[in-house]
Amino acid sequence: MVPRYVIDFDLKALPRLKTDVAVIGAGIAGLYTALQASEFADVVLISKRGLDDSNTRWAQGGIAAVTAKTDSPALHRQDTLIAGAGLCAYDAVDVLVHEGPERLQELIAYGTRFDKDEKGRYELTQEGAHSQRRILHAQGDATGAEIVRALSAKVKNNARIKVMEDHFVIDVITDHGECIGALVMQPDGELLFVQCSATVLATGGAGQLYRYTTNPDIATADGIAIAYRAGADIKDVEFIQFHPTALYYPGAPRFLISEAVRGEGAILRNIDGERFMPNYHPQKELAPRDIVARAIVSEMERTNSSFVYLDITHESETLIKHRFPTIYKFCLQYGLDMVTDWIPVAPACHYIMGGVRTDLHGETSTKRLFACGEASCTGVHGANRLASNSLSEAVVFGHRIVQRIKQLQPLADVPELSFSIERKQNPPDMVAQRLKLQKLMLRNVGVKRSEDGLEKALKEIERMDRLFGYEHRSTQAFECLNLLTAAGLTTKAALMREESRGGHYRIDYPSKDDLIWRKHIVLSLEHGVREESNE
């Protein structure tokens, strides 16, 4: 049983920092939202690592927005809806495609330098399931790093933003269903209460649920778990995108080989050297990611291999080194030359489509608590995210969150709340428990799922719930508890959804069932599991 709080506290005994807005997370969602809010409010930006340590920094492909005269919001909307496999929220997608271009211009105004051609025009590329070239990129394949560089510089020089690096948010504090601030562990292990009128969860994704992921080790589902414990609705978490092409090579991490490589002409071959994607989908290598990932797994099973090859050797050396300098250099460290070698790849956990359920202004079902970026579920992605929509979503809904916060009345007096339950001493090794959970999820809640595997996973996760009964005081322990919370939610939803759609594939229910399952699964601490129709 997941408790309301994972640590005991007494607010009147804690040091207190008062501010207008607290933003938790330092990726594109957190940095951008903090900058926007600082135009009218004092902001505390809390990062569990440094400002340059986030999922955004690793985003390679780019940001999707309509800028070309041959493109249109209607085409972008159509591509998004098709990729979302019938579960996108139409109004949220409409917001994204119409407001994305303006937010893109703000990123440029904040100092982001997207790549341009020799005539000074922005270079546009095409990725899987896009019908047009509408992806802007930076430094070839380092778009996220460039955005973080620009936004971080602005944040550091903003007098109204107090940056708290190496601070870990354990929980948000609520009073009668209203968020009143955050309980924070400082670098020395002492607790701090940050009191504020609005709290924004911009904590990133949940890639560390799995043993193999393209995400950094900080992607531990913190926002989802914190919001769930606070009573907020969690939606669509069974839909997890496994990136088809993560580097699979002895001694190398599961480094992301961007979808843009396929967008520029790379093809997939099995270990026998045969191109196989034409056998699986008309769009071949540019099919939606879930289809490509399952096709790769099928080929690996058919050929009894643990990887396939990505081949871009037919393209020019100039193109490869210009468009993919980061990937090229990384592979070269391990003796792989993209110009002449086929690159061994396999699917790895990449992105979670679901998260903390929000409205069109990023507000959760818990008052004064907002969610933005990958931690949120705005409805844009449906069952499967369209490539490069995530960076656009972060800024579009970050802007909308700030517009909503402007309308909030300042927080009234905060009661001196406390929480305490009986907890055991000497918890198990939580690093080992995290690895155990990751392996369990990989085996049973991965690219291909079944009732037997999901039930086995859920029973083991429920046994691991005993970990909540111990007293914990380390970031690693709290991260493990957050992953355990998210794992339970994901597995319950995956077991409940008896069909295959988008990032959720059941081998025992291999078809999409629009008659019964064109709806969402919503989970909350108070109301349990419920279904919600797709409007």
Side-chain angles (χ1 to χ4, degrees), residues 152-171:
S152 294
K154 287 290 185 183
V155 163
K156 290 174 182 176
N157 292 318
N158 191 310
R160 297 202 73 174
I161 301 175
K162 177 180 177 61
V163 177
M164 299 172 65
E165 295 180 294
D166 300 309
H167 284 65
F168 185 80
V169 174
I170 298 172
D171 269 311

mmCIF file with all atom_site columns, all heavy atoms in Angstrom, residues 152-171:
data_model
loop_
_atom_site.group_PDB
_atom_site.id
_atom_site.type_symbol
_atom_site.label_atom_id
_atom_site.label_alt_id
_atom_site.label_comp_id
_atom_site.label_asym_id
_atom_site.label_entity_id
_atom_site.label_seq_id
_atom_site.pdbx_PDB_ins_code
_atom_site.Cartn_x
_atom_site.Cartn_y
_atom_site.Cartn_z
_atom_site.occupancy
_atom_site.B_iso_or_equiv
_atom_site.pdbx_formal_charge
_atom_site.auth_seq_id
_atom_site.auth_comp_id
_atom_site.auth_asym_id
_atom_site.auth_atom_id
_atom_site.pdbx_PDB_model_num
ATOM 1   N N   . SER A 1 152 ? 19.084 27.791 -19.695 1.00 0.00 ? 152 SER A N   1
ATOM 2   C CA  . SER A 1 152 ? 19.825 27.833 -18.427 1.00 0.00 ? 152 SER A CA  1
ATOM 3   C C   . SER A 1 152 ? 20.538 29.169 -18.247 1.00 0.00 ? 152 SER A C   1
ATOM 4   O O   . SER A 1 152 ? 20.575 29.729 -17.144 1.00 0.00 ? 152 SER A O   1
ATOM 5   C CB  . SER A 1 152 ? 20.855 26.696 -18.367 1.00 0.00 ? 152 SER A CB  1
ATOM 6   O OG  . SER A 1 152 ? 20.230 25.449 -18.322 1.00 0.00 ? 152 SER A OG  1
ATOM 7   N N   . ALA A 1 153 ? 21.111 29.671 -19.324 1.00 0.00 ? 153 ALA A N   1
ATOM 8   C CA  . ALA A 1 153 ? 21.806 30.959 -19.250 1.00 0.00 ? 153 ALA A CA  1
ATOM 9   C C   . ALA A 1 153 ? 20.846 32.067 -18.846 1.00 0.00 ? 153 ALA A C   1
ATOM 10  O O   . ALA A 1 153 ? 21.177 32.942 -18.030 1.00 0.00 ? 153 ALA A O   1
ATOM 11  C CB  . ALA A 1 153 ? 22.457 31.278 -20.597 1.00 0.00 ? 153 ALA A CB  1
ATOM 12  N N   . LYS A 1 154 ? 19.644 32.040 -19.404 1.00 0.00 ? 154 LYS A N   1
ATOM 13  C CA  . LYS A 1 154 ? 18.636 33.048 -19.050 1.00 0.00 ? 154 LYS A CA  1
ATOM 14  C C   . LYS A 1 154 ? 18.198 32.899 -17.593 1.00 0.00 ? 154 LYS A C   1
ATOM 15  O O   . LYS A 1 154 ? 18.022 33.885 -16.873 1.00 0.00 ? 154 LYS A O   1
ATOM 16  C CB  . LYS A 1 154 ? 17.418 32.910 -19.971 1.00 0.00 ? 154 LYS A CB  1
ATOM 17  C CG  . LYS A 1 154 ? 17.645 33.384 -21.397 1.00 0.00 ? 154 LYS A CG  1
ATOM 18  C CD  . LYS A 1 154 ? 17.793 34.897 -21.444 1.00 0.00 ? 154 LYS A CD  1
ATOM 19  C CE  . LYS A 1 154 ? 17.902 35.384 -22.883 1.00 0.00 ? 154 LYS A CE  1
ATOM 20  N NZ  . LYS A 1 154 ? 18.127 36.854 -22.944 1.00 0.00 ? 154 LYS A NZ  1
ATOM 21  N N   . VAL A 1 155 ? 17.999 31.657 -17.156 1.00 0.00 ? 155 VAL A N   1
ATOM 22  C CA  . VAL A 1 155 ? 17.560 31.409 -15.780 1.00 0.00 ? 155 VAL A CA  1
ATOM 23  C C   . VAL A 1 155 ? 18.602 31.902 -14.779 1.00 0.00 ? 155 VAL A C   1
ATOM 24  O O   . VAL A 1 155 ? 18.279 32.556 -13.782 1.00 0.00 ? 155 VAL A O   1
ATOM 25  C CB  . VAL A 1 155 ? 17.268 29.901 -15.578 1.00 0.00 ? 155 VAL A CB  1
ATOM 26  C CG1 . VAL A 1 155 ? 17.212 29.552 -14.098 1.00 0.00 ? 155 VAL A CG1 1
ATOM 27  C CG2 . VAL A 1 155 ? 15.963 29.522 -16.257 1.00 0.00 ? 155 VAL A CG2 1
ATOM 28  N N   . LYS A 1 156 ? 19.867 31.592 -15.038 1.00 0.00 ? 156 LYS A N   1
ATOM 29  C CA  . LYS A 1 156 ? 20.936 31.960 -14.104 1.00 0.00 ? 156 LYS A CA  1
ATOM 30  C C   . LYS A 1 156 ? 21.069 33.469 -13.958 1.00 0.00 ? 156 LYS A C   1
ATOM 31  O O   . LYS A 1 156 ? 21.508 33.959 -12.908 1.00 0.00 ? 156 LYS A O   1
ATOM 32  C CB  . LYS A 1 156 ? 22.265 31.361 -14.584 1.00 0.00 ? 156 LYS A CB  1
ATOM 33  C CG  . LYS A 1 156 ? 22.340 29.844 -14.447 1.00 0.00 ? 156 LYS A CG  1
ATOM 34  C CD  . LYS A 1 156 ? 23.612 29.307 -15.073 1.00 0.00 ? 156 LYS A CD  1
ATOM 35  C CE  . LYS A 1 156 ? 23.671 27.791 -14.993 1.00 0.00 ? 156 LYS A CE  1
ATOM 36  N NZ  . LYS A 1 156 ? 24.856 27.213 -15.686 1.00 0.00 ? 156 LYS A NZ  1
ATOM 37  N N   . ASN A 1 157 ? 20.691 34.199 -14.998 1.00 0.00 ? 157 ASN A N   1
ATOM 38  C CA  . ASN A 1 157 ? 20.810 35.662 -14.964 1.00 0.00 ? 157 ASN A CA  1
ATOM 39  C C   . ASN A 1 157 ? 19.500 36.359 -14.616 1.00 0.00 ? 157 ASN A C   1
ATOM 40  O O   . ASN A 1 157 ? 19.384 37.572 -14.778 1.00 0.00 ? 157 ASN A O   1
ATOM 41  C CB  . ASN A 1 157 ? 21.316 36.173 -16.320 1.00 0.00 ? 157 ASN A CB  1
ATOM 42  C CG  . ASN A 1 157 ? 22.756 35.766 -16.578 1.00 0.00 ? 157 ASN A CG  1
ATOM 43  O OD1 . ASN A 1 157 ? 23.586 35.827 -15.683 1.00 0.00 ? 157 ASN A OD1 1
ATOM 44  N ND2 . ASN A 1 157 ? 23.044 35.330 -17.801 1.00 0.00 ? 157 ASN A ND2 1
ATOM 45  N N   . ASN A 1 158 ? 18.534 35.591 -14.126 1.00 0.00 ? 158 ASN A N   1
ATOM 46  C CA  . ASN A 1 158 ? 17.225 36.165 -13.804 1.00 0.00 ? 158 ASN A CA  1
ATOM 47  C C   . ASN A 1 158 ? 17.116 36.351 -12.290 1.00 0.00 ? 158 ASN A C   1
ATOM 48  O O   . ASN A 1 158 ? 17.146 35.387 -11.527 1.00 0.00 ? 158 ASN A O   1
ATOM 49  C CB  . ASN A 1 158 ? 16.124 35.225 -14.306 1.00 0.00 ? 158 ASN A CB  1
ATOM 50  C CG  . ASN A 1 158 ? 14.745 35.862 -14.259 1.00 0.00 ? 158 ASN A CG  1
ATOM 51  O OD1 . ASN A 1 158 ? 14.344 36.421 -13.235 1.00 0.00 ? 158 ASN A OD1 1
ATOM 52  N ND2 . ASN A 1 158 ? 14.022 35.768 -15.355 1.00 0.00 ? 158 ASN A ND2 1
ATOM 53  N N   . ALA A 1 159 ? 16.983 37.609 -11.872 1.00 0.00 ? 159 ALA A N   1
ATOM 54  C CA  . ALA A 1 159 ? 16.972 37.930 -10.438 1.00 0.00 ? 159 ALA A CA  1
ATOM 55  C C   . ALA A 1 159 ? 15.740 37.396 -9.720  1.00 0.00 ? 159 ALA A C   1
ATOM 56  O O   . ALA A 1 159 ? 15.750 37.245 -8.493  1.00 0.00 ? 159 ALA A O   1
ATOM 57  C CB  . ALA A 1 159 ? 17.067 39.445 -10.255 1.00 0.00 ? 159 ALA A CB  1
ATOM 58  N N   . ARG A 1 160 ? 14.675 37.095 -10.458 1.00 0.00 ? 160 ARG A N   1
ATOM 59  C CA  . ARG A 1 160 ? 13.437 36.645 -9.821  1.00 0.00 ? 160 ARG A CA  1
ATOM 60  C C   . ARG A 1 160 ? 13.355 35.119 -9.721  1.00 0.00 ? 160 ARG A C   1
ATOM 61  O O   . ARG A 1 160 ? 12.376 34.591 -9.218  1.00 0.00 ? 160 ARG A O   1
ATOM 62  C CB  . ARG A 1 160 ? 12.213 37.181 -10.566 1.00 0.00 ? 160 ARG A CB  1
ATOM 63  C CG  . ARG A 1 160 ? 12.103 38.691 -10.559 1.00 0.00 ? 160 ARG A CG  1
ATOM 64  C CD  . ARG A 1 160 ? 10.696 39.164 -10.814 1.00 0.00 ? 160 ARG A CD  1
ATOM 65  N NE  . ARG A 1 160 ? 9.810  38.933 -9.665  1.00 0.00 ? 160 ARG A NE  1
ATOM 66  C CZ  . ARG A 1 160 ? 8.548  39.359 -9.600  1.00 0.00 ? 160 ARG A CZ  1
ATOM 67  N NH1 . ARG A 1 160 ? 8.018  40.006 -10.635 1.00 0.00 ? 160 ARG A NH1 1
ATOM 68  N NH2 . ARG A 1 160 ? 7.814  39.126 -8.526  1.00 0.00 ? 160 ARG A NH2 1
ATOM 69  N N   . ILE A 1 161 ? 14.394 34.434 -10.219 1.00 0.00 ? 161 ILE A N   1
ATOM 70  C CA  . ILE A 1 161 ? 14.412 32.975 -10.129 1.00 0.00 ? 161 ILE A CA  1
ATOM 71  C C   . ILE A 1 161 ? 15.521 32.539 -9.179  1.00 0.00 ? 161 ILE A C   1
ATOM 72  O O   . ILE A 1 161 ? 16.700 32.815 -9.409  1.00 0.00 ? 161 ILE A O   1
ATOM 73  C CB  . ILE A 1 161 ? 14.638 32.318 -11.505 1.00 0.00 ? 161 ILE A CB  1
ATOM 74  C CG1 . ILE A 1 161 ? 13.536 32.729 -12.487 1.00 0.00 ? 161 ILE A CG1 1
ATOM 75  C CG2 . ILE A 1 161 ? 14.669 30.797 -11.369 1.00 0.00 ? 161 ILE A CG2 1
ATOM 76  C CD1 . ILE A 1 161 ? 13.745 32.212 -13.895 1.00 0.00 ? 161 ILE A CD1 1
ATOM 77  N N   . LYS A 1 162 ? 15.134 31.865 -8.110  1.00 0.00 ? 162 LYS A N   1
ATOM 78  C CA  . LYS A 1 162 ? 16.113 31.284 -7.180  1.00 0.00 ? 162 LYS A CA  1
ATOM 79  C C   . LYS A 1 162 ? 16.320 29.827 -7.584  1.00 0.00 ? 162 LYS A C   1
ATOM 80  O O   . LYS A 1 162 ? 15.380 29.027 -7.562  1.00 0.00 ? 162 LYS A O   1
ATOM 81  C CB  . LYS A 1 162 ? 15.608 31.363 -5.740  1.00 0.00 ? 162 LYS A CB  1
ATOM 82  C CG  . LYS A 1 162 ? 16.543 30.710 -4.712  1.00 0.00 ? 162 LYS A CG  1
ATOM 83  C CD  . LYS A 1 162 ? 15.986 30.822 -3.309  1.00 0.00 ? 162 LYS A CD  1
ATOM 84  C CE  . LYS A 1 162 ? 16.871 30.098 -2.288  1.00 0.00 ? 162 LYS A CE  1
ATOM 85  N NZ  . LYS A 1 162 ? 18.239 30.658 -2.222  1.00 0.00 ? 162 LYS A NZ  1
ATOM 86  N N   . VAL A 1 163 ? 17.536 29.491 -7.976  1.00 0.00 ? 163 VAL A N   1
ATOM 87  C CA  . VAL A 1 163 ? 17.848 28.129 -8.421  1.00 0.00 ? 163 VAL A CA  1
ATOM 88  C C   . VAL A 1 163 ? 18.390 27.319 -7.242  1.00 0.00 ? 163 VAL A C   1
ATOM 89  O O   . VAL A 1 163 ? 19.319 27.752 -6.550  1.00 0.00 ? 163 VAL A O   1
ATOM 90  C CB  . VAL A 1 163 ? 18.878 28.142 -9.560  1.00 0.00 ? 163 VAL A CB  1
ATOM 91  C CG1 . VAL A 1 163 ? 19.243 26.722 -9.971  1.00 0.00 ? 163 VAL A CG1 1
ATOM 92  C CG2 . VAL A 1 163 ? 18.323 28.918 -10.761 1.00 0.00 ? 163 VAL A CG2 1
ATOM 93  N N   . MET A 1 164 ? 17.791 26.143 -7.025  1.00 0.00 ? 164 MET A N   1
ATOM 94  C CA  . MET A 1 164 ? 18.238 25.249 -5.955  1.00 0.00 ? 164 MET A CA  1
ATOM 95  C C   . MET A 1 164 ? 18.667 23.932 -6.587  1.00 0.00 ? 164 MET A C   1
ATOM 96  O O   . MET A 1 164 ? 17.853 23.049 -6.840  1.00 0.00 ? 164 MET A O   1
ATOM 97  C CB  . MET A 1 164 ? 17.116 25.033 -4.933  1.00 0.00 ? 164 MET A CB  1
ATOM 98  C CG  . MET A 1 164 ? 16.670 26.321 -4.255  1.00 0.00 ? 164 MET A CG  1
ATOM 99  S SD  . MET A 1 164 ? 15.184 26.123 -3.220  1.00 0.00 ? 164 MET A SD  1
ATOM 100 C CE  . MET A 1 164 ? 15.803 25.020 -1.951  1.00 0.00 ? 164 MET A CE  1
ATOM 101 N N   . GLU A 1 165 ? 19.963 23.822 -6.888  1.00 0.00 ? 165 GLU A N   1
ATOM 102 C CA  . GLU A 1 165 ? 20.501 22.601 -7.477  1.00 0.00 ? 165 GLU A CA  1
ATOM 103 C C   . GLU A 1 165 ? 20.801 21.578 -6.385  1.00 0.00 ? 165 GLU A C   1
ATOM 104 O O   . GLU A 1 165 ? 21.004 21.940 -5.224  1.00 0.00 ? 165 GLU A O   1
ATOM 105 C CB  . GLU A 1 165 ? 21.764 22.919 -8.275  1.00 0.00 ? 165 GLU A CB  1
ATOM 106 C CG  . GLU A 1 165 ? 21.514 23.807 -9.489  1.00 0.00 ? 165 GLU A CG  1
ATOM 107 C CD  . GLU A 1 165 ? 22.767 24.114 -10.264 1.00 0.00 ? 165 GLU A CD  1
ATOM 108 O OE1 . GLU A 1 165 ? 23.650 24.806 -9.712  1.00 0.00 ? 165 GLU A OE1 1
ATOM 109 O OE2 . GLU A 1 165 ? 22.884 23.658 -11.416 1.00 0.00 ? 165 GLU A OE2 1
ATOM 110 N N   . ASP A 1 166 ? 20.803 20.304 -6.782  1.00 0.00 ? 166 ASP A N   1
ATOM 111 C CA  . ASP A 1 166 ? 21.099 19.216 -5.839  1.00 0.00 ? 166 ASP A CA  1
ATOM 112 C C   . ASP A 1 166 ? 20.131 19.179 -4.667  1.00 0.00 ? 166 ASP A C   1
ATOM 113 O O   . ASP A 1 166 ? 20.494 18.793 -3.549  1.00 0.00 ? 166 ASP A O   1
ATOM 114 C CB  . ASP A 1 166 ? 22.549 19.301 -5.336  1.00 0.00 ? 166 ASP A CB  1
ATOM 115 C CG  . ASP A 1 166 ? 23.543 19.211 -6.481  1.00 0.00 ? 166 ASP A CG  1
ATOM 116 O OD1 . ASP A 1 166 ? 23.431 18.263 -7.283  1.00 0.00 ? 166 ASP A OD1 1
ATOM 117 O OD2 . ASP A 1 166 ? 24.411 20.101 -6.590  1.00 0.00 ? 166 ASP A OD2 1
ATOM 118 N N   . HIS A 1 167 ? 18.899 19.580 -4.907  1.00 0.00 ? 167 HIS A N   1
ATOM 119 C CA  . HIS A 1 167 ? 17.812 19.496 -3.925  1.00 0.00 ? 167 HIS A CA  1
ATOM 120 C C   . HIS A 1 167 ? 16.771 18.514 -4.454  1.00 0.00 ? 167 HIS A C   1
ATOM 121 O O   . HIS A 1 167 ? 16.379 18.596 -5.618  1.00 0.00 ? 167 HIS A O   1
ATOM 122 C CB  . HIS A 1 167 ? 17.165 20.856 -3.690  1.00 0.00 ? 167 HIS A CB  1
ATOM 123 C CG  . HIS A 1 167 ? 17.972 21.787 -2.835  1.00 0.00 ? 167 HIS A CG  1
ATOM 124 N ND1 . HIS A 1 167 ? 19.195 22.284 -3.236  1.00 0.00 ? 167 HIS A ND1 1
ATOM 125 C CD2 . HIS A 1 167 ? 17.738 22.302 -1.587  1.00 0.00 ? 167 HIS A CD2 1
ATOM 126 C CE1 . HIS A 1 167 ? 19.670 23.085 -2.277  1.00 0.00 ? 167 HIS A CE1 1
ATOM 127 N NE2 . HIS A 1 167 ? 18.811 23.111 -1.277  1.00 0.00 ? 167 HIS A NE2 1
ATOM 128 N N   . PHE A 1 168 ? 16.318 17.621 -3.596  1.00 0.00 ? 168 PHE A N   1
ATOM 129 C CA  . PHE A 1 168 ? 15.381 16.579 -4.024  1.00 0.00 ? 168 PHE A CA  1
ATOM 130 C C   . PHE A 1 168 ? 14.010 16.800 -3.391  1.00 0.00 ? 168 PHE A C   1
ATOM 131 O O   . PHE A 1 168 ? 13.888 16.867 -2.163  1.00 0.00 ? 168 PHE A O   1
ATOM 132 C CB  . PHE A 1 168 ? 15.910 15.201 -3.629  1.00 0.00 ? 168 PHE A CB  1
ATOM 133 C CG  . PHE A 1 168 ? 15.061 14.064 -4.137  1.00 0.00 ? 168 PHE A CG  1
ATOM 134 C CD1 . PHE A 1 168 ? 15.184 13.633 -5.452  1.00 0.00 ? 168 PHE A CD1 1
ATOM 135 C CD2 . PHE A 1 168 ? 14.142 13.435 -3.317  1.00 0.00 ? 168 PHE A CD2 1
ATOM 136 C CE1 . PHE A 1 168 ? 14.402 12.589 -5.937  1.00 0.00 ? 168 PHE A CE1 1
ATOM 137 C CE2 . PHE A 1 168 ? 13.364 12.386 -3.782  1.00 0.00 ? 168 PHE A CE2 1
ATOM 138 C CZ  . PHE A 1 168 ? 13.489 11.964 -5.101  1.00 0.00 ? 168 PHE A CZ  1
ATOM 139 N N   . VAL A 1 169 ? 12.985 16.919 -4.244  1.00 0.00 ? 169 VAL A N   1
ATOM 140 C CA  . VAL A 1 169 ? 11.614 17.065 -3.746  1.00 0.00 ? 169 VAL A CA  1
ATOM 141 C C   . VAL A 1 169 ? 11.077 15.682 -3.402  1.00 0.00 ? 169 VAL A C   1
ATOM 142 O O   . VAL A 1 169 ? 10.932 14.825 -4.279  1.00 0.00 ? 169 VAL A O   1
ATOM 143 C CB  . VAL A 1 169 ? 10.718 17.761 -4.777  1.00 0.00 ? 169 VAL A CB  1
ATOM 144 C CG1 . VAL A 1 169 ? 9.263  17.774 -4.297  1.00 0.00 ? 169 VAL A CG1 1
ATOM 145 C CG2 . VAL A 1 169 ? 11.195 19.193 -5.021  1.00 0.00 ? 169 VAL A CG2 1
ATOM 146 N N   . ILE A 1 170 ? 10.784 15.463 -2.124  1.00 0.00 ? 170 ILE A N   1
ATOM 147 C CA  . ILE A 1 170 ? 10.308 14.165 -1.664  1.00 0.00 ? 170 ILE A CA  1
ATOM 148 C C   . ILE A 1 170 ? 8.811  14.020 -1.923  1.00 0.00 ? 170 ILE A C   1
ATOM 149 O O   . ILE A 1 170 ? 8.344  13.001 -2.421  1.00 0.00 ? 170 ILE A O   1
ATOM 150 C CB  . ILE A 1 170 ? 10.618 13.986 -0.162  1.00 0.00 ? 170 ILE A CB  1
ATOM 151 C CG1 . ILE A 1 170 ? 12.129 14.033 0.069   1.00 0.00 ? 170 ILE A CG1 1
ATOM 152 C CG2 . ILE A 1 170 ? 10.035 12.670 0.356   1.00 0.00 ? 170 ILE A CG2 1
ATOM 153 C CD1 . ILE A 1 170 ? 12.524 14.070 1.531   1.00 0.00 ? 170 ILE A CD1 1
ATOM 154 N N   . ASP A 1 171 ? 8.056  15.047 -1.562  1.00 0.00 ? 171 ASP A N   1
ATOM 155 C CA  . ASP A 1 171 ? 6.607  15.044 -1.755  1.00 0.00 ? 171 ASP A CA  1
ATOM 156 C C   . ASP A 1 171 ? 6.126  16.476 -1.849  1.00 0.00 ? 171 ASP A C   1
ATOM 157 O O   . ASP A 1 171 ? 6.819  17.408 -1.402  1.00 0.00 ? 171 ASP A O   1
ATOM 158 C CB  . ASP A 1 171 ? 5.888  14.360 -0.573  1.00 0.00 ? 171 ASP A CB  1
ATOM 159 C CG  . ASP A 1 171 ? 5.677  12.868 -0.784  1.00 0.00 ? 171 ASP A CG  1
ATOM 160 O OD1 . ASP A 1 171 ? 5.178  12.492 -1.869  1.00 0.00 ? 171 ASP A OD1 1
ATOM 161 O OD2 . ASP A 1 171 ? 6.018  12.072 0.109   1.00 0.00 ? 171 ASP A OD2 1
#
